[in-house]
Amino acid sequence: CSSAPINMKVQHVNGSALVVRWARPEVTYHPPILHFLVSYSWTAHDDSYEETHLTDGKHKLEAIISPVSPDVLYLFRVQAVCMNDMRSDFSQSMLFRG
């Protein structure tokens, strides 16, 4: 599909939402990139959770993640999705406290 998305950043939008931003992969092997998938996971009360957010287009290089809890540590990573469900490697992971 492509190399992994790069330069991921996470910021607070407000007390219950975060925005995840990234840059397009440096190389696309099997164009076009159709979407980006944001995966985020966390642990609460000794249980592990994982959710995904699929962007609505290839030019959308951010995702709003909501709701988030201020006392929870989230692990974010981003992946490009190409034709035939081919996927890039995940970006570097980033920890961020909601």
Side-chain angles (χ1 to χ4, degrees):
C1 177
S2 71
S3 57
I6 57 173
N7 299 335
M8 183 174 52
K9 295 181 174 72
V10 182
Q11 295 176 298
H12 287 101
V13 174
N14 56 41
S16 63
L18 301 173
V19 61
V20 182
R21 293 186 174 98
W22 59 91
R24 293 183 63 78
E26 293 175 329
V27 181
T28 303
Y29 309 113
H30 302 284
I33 293 173
L34 301 177
H35 305 280
F36 289 94
L37 179 88
V38 179
S39 168
Y40 57 104
S41 56
W42 69 97
T43 301
H45 310 295
D46 296 327
D47 290 321
S48 296
Y49 302 92
E50 182 172 3
E51 294 284 343
T52 57
H53 175 91
L54 193 65
T55 64
D56 55 8
K58 62 185 174 189
H59 299 297
K60 184 98 168 158
L61 299 175
E62 68 176 36
I64 302 292
I65 306 300
S66 176
V68 294
S69 298
D71 56 342
V72 173
L73 191 62
Y74 294 88
L75 178 71
F76 290 95
R77 54 195 192 151
V78 182
Q79 182 181 52
V81 181
C82 297
M83 298 283 286
N84 301 320
D85 204 36
M86 285 192 293
R87 297 179 180 214
S88 73
D89 288 337
F90 275 106
S91 65
Q92 287 187 316
S93 298
M94 176 176 285
L95 285 170
F96 194 87
R97 187 167 298 281

